[in-house]
Amino acid sequence: MLVAWLWTLLASFLQFIQRLSLSFWLSIFVSIFLGYLANFVFSSVVLMCHSRQSIKNFDGPPSRWLHGHMDRATFDGNGLKFHIECATKYKTAYPLWFGPLRAALVLCHPDSLRVILSNHVPKEEFVYSLIVPFTGKSLAVVNGKRWQQMRKLLTPAFHADILRPYVKLFQESTNTLLEKWSKNPEKMECFKDLGLMALDSTLKCAFSFHSNCQSNVKQDEFTRSITAISKALIKRLITPILHPDWIFRWTTEGRSFYYNCESAHETAETIITTRRKTLQEKVRKNLDFF
């Protein structure tokens, strides 16, 4: 019914264009534009209907028609308070609207989480697609057979005997964070500091690279890029108008996001190359010794 209505509307527009006696190329341009517009409207309506159908059996907080819950589900203390209130009231799960079209289900009870974690449930494509320019087609993003293949290759690396030596490195990063917080115990910015601790631990464990990103007064280029990428992803997630990639790329935030992704990738490649050379040099020295 909806498809027939859209095609009827498009045909009416084409007839209107013909009556205006526009040039041939202008008529083609207008027709293409109207086709894209009709596809956008149709896709938006289908997405909204799908979202409403997916969460219809769950009660949740009232949402605004344009912003959804994004004006309350922020990534700060107010957002945390909102989620705590929802978890207390709705017990097991509640819907969260990312603008007028997209919705997700927030699980807040162990029994609800157990069903998801005990099965390989396909990942939510939209949210994960936002981080692909930064992470690439990594294990966190892919599904199906490719996920199984990549997971099988990585499983030996996460054996308990291999991970045990890294506990000391995690403790070092945690102690650095606690020392920073102890200097100002009354007020602290958890999101940024925990992100820096995670970055510090990852660089130490995966690349044996000590960036000192938690203690540096002035952040280096790599840390600044990672921080800016995180902020851009959060802003895009809570701003519905930035969801379409073709709009996001034309904004200042979009251009800065892709620039920072490229910068982070270059620095990561440099770190990996340096680490590989160091390991090869150690192997060469051991061979020379024998």
Side-chain angles (χ1 to χ4, degrees), residues 1-10 38-49:
M1 184 69 180
L2 180 61
V3 177
W5 179 80
L6 288 174
W7 277 114
T8 303
L9 182 62
L10 181 59
N39 179 70
F40 174 76
V41 172
F42 175 73
S43 301
S44 300
V45 172
V46 170
L47 178 60
M48 182 177 64
C49 294

Side-chain angles (χ1 to χ4, degrees), residues 59-275:
D59 295 328
S63 63
R64 298 184 179 181
W65 73 272
L66 182 60
H67 294 95
H69 296 109
M70 291 298 95
D71 56 340
R72 287 176 288 171
T74 52
F75 288 80
D76 54 18
N78 294 325
L80 180 60
K81 182 180 178 181
F82 168 77
H83 286 293
I84 292 176
E85 291 175 352
C86 291
T88 303
K89 182 176 181 180
Y90 301 106
K91 307 300 182 182
T92 58
Y94 57 93
L96 189 69
W97 279 93
F98 300 91
L101 304 179
R102 300 182 185 275
L105 192 64
V106 180
L107 305 180
C108 51
H109 192 276
D111 293 339
S112 303
L113 291 167
R114 190 177 295 112
V115 176
I116 302 299
L117 296 178
S118 61
N119 297 279
H120 179 53
V121 180
K123 299 179 177 69
E124 207 287 322
E125 294 183 0
F126 166 68
V127 175
Y128 282 95
S129 67
L130 301 183
I131 66 174
V132 168
F134 175 48
T135 64
K137 296 290 185 177
S138 61
L139 182 66
V141 177
V142 297
N143 282 302
K145 291 184 178 180
R146 187 173 182 183
W147 179 89
Q148 294 176 352
Q149 293 173 351
M150 296 176 69
R151 186 69 179 86
K152 187 177 181 180
L153 290 173
L154 287 174
T155 297
F158 290 91
H159 191 276
D161 294 335
I162 296 177
L163 295 179
R164 192 171 292 112
Y166 295 126
V167 173
K168 184 179 179 180
L169 296 176
F170 281 112
Q171 290 175 339
E172 290 178 0
S173 299
T174 304
N175 290 335
T176 302
L177 175 67
L178 295 177
E179 183 180 354
K180 182 194 299 186
W181 282 356
S182 65
K183 296 177 181 179
N184 187 16
E186 296 181 359
K187 186 177 181 181
M188 61 191 70
E189 204 288 298
C190 297
F191 183 79
K192 179 181 178 181
D193 290 342
L194 290 173
L196 290 175
M197 186 194 71
L199 176 62
D200 189 24
S201 301
T202 302
L203 292 175
K204 287 178 181 178
C205 296
F207 306 112
S208 297
F209 181 76
H210 294 261
S211 64
N212 299 319
C213 60
Q214 293 192 82
S215 55
N216 288 340
V217 177
K218 184 178 180 181
Q219 293 183 342
D220 57 78
E221 183 67 25
F222 182 64
T223 306
R224 282 198 300 271
S225 297
I226 299 297
T227 304
I229 289 170
S230 301
K231 290 181 179 179
L233 286 172
I234 292 172
K235 183 173 182 180
R236 186 180 183 186
L237 182 63
I238 65 177
T239 310
I241 192 62
L242 297 179
H243 288 177
D245 192 61
W246 63 274
I247 294 179
F248 182 65
R249 285 179 176 272
W250 282 95
T251 62
T252 303
E253 292 85 358
R255 292 193 294 269
S256 177
F257 170 77
Y258 284 101
Y259 170 80
N260 287 316
C261 285
E262 184 177 350
S263 176
H265 292 162
E266 291 176 356
T267 305
E269 287 292 336
T270 302
I271 294 173
I272 293 172
T273 302
T274 303
R275 179 60 177 163

